[in-house]
Amino acid sequence: LQMRALQRDNFCLALPASHPLADAVVPIAPQQLAGAAFVMAEQTSGMHEVARRGGFSIRQQHPSGGLVDVLAQVAFNVGIAVIPASLSRVISLPGVVYRSIQPPEIPSGIVMLFRQWERTPAIVNFISFAESMQFDDALIDPQGHPIKP
C-alpha cells in the first residue's frame, strides 16, 4: 500500500463562549483541560493526545454525529471539542470560540491510501489526478517513510 498526504493540519480547541478559557490569548495547556467534558469529534486522536499530554483520562465523553453536531453541542455548553484547525477558519457558529493548543502542535491531516499496483481504470485515473495536484508531500508508506516514485 502507498499513502499520499493531501493536507497537513493540526488540532485546536472548540470551546463554548462562556467557558473560563474562552478569553485565553495564549495557547491553552492540555493540563488546563483536566476534568472538562469532551464532545467526541469524528477524529478522536486529537482528543486522546490532549488528555495524554495533560496527564488525565477523559471521563465525560459525549458522542456526536458530524462536525456541525459537534460544534452545536459545544455552543450549547455540553463540552469542549478537539477539531482540525483548518475547520476553525471556515466555520463560525454563535457561542463557539476556537483556541490554540499549547505546542508542540498535534498533527492532523487527510491522506489517500491506495494499492501500489492498482489496475482499475477509474482508480488509476483518480490517483493520477491527485498526483497531478501541487501537494507538497511525497508518497509515503504506511509506516510514514518516503517512497521514491
Side-chain angles (χ1 to χ4, degrees):
L1 290 179
Q2 289 189 346
M3 256 190 292
R4 175 74 163 166
L6 301 179
Q7 178 184 4
R8 291 187 185 246
D9 198 359
N10 57 62
F11 286 99
C12 73
L13 299 171
L15 302 168
S18 61
H19 192 279
L21 296 172
D23 294 329
V25 292
V26 297
I28 296 171
Q31 296 84 348
Q32 293 176 275
L33 303 172
F38 283 80
V39 178
M40 289 191 323
E42 293 171 323
Q43 291 182 323
T44 61
S45 61
M47 176 182 71
H48 292 294
E49 181 61 13
V50 165
R52 186 192 71 74
R53 289 182 184 184
F56 62 89
S57 295
I58 297 173
R59 291 192 170 82
Q60 289 185 302
Q61 296 180 33
H62 301 277
S64 66
L67 180 65
V68 173
D69 184 37
V70 170
L71 295 177
Q73 288 189 52
V74 170
F76 287 117
N77 208 20
V78 172
I80 65 175
V82 180
I83 64 164
S86 59
L87 298 174
S88 70
R89 295 185 287 276
V90 295
I91 298 177
S92 176
L93 285 178
V96 177
V97 297
Y98 301 103
R99 296 293 176 259
S100 297
I101 301 168
Q102 184 180 60
E105 294 179 339
I106 300 172
S108 173
I110 299 173
V111 298
M112 176 176 67
L113 183 65
F114 57 93
R115 293 181 290 214
Q116 183 175 0
W117 308 113
E118 182 61 59
R119 292 190 175 122
T120 307
I123 296 173
V124 169
N125 288 339
F126 180 76
I127 293 168
S128 294
F129 169 75
E131 289 179 335
S132 72
M133 303 304 289
Q134 297 299 313
F135 299 117
D136 294 330
D137 303 307
L139 289 175
I140 54 174
D141 68 17
Q143 289 75 39
H145 302 103
I147 299 172
K148 295 181 182 179

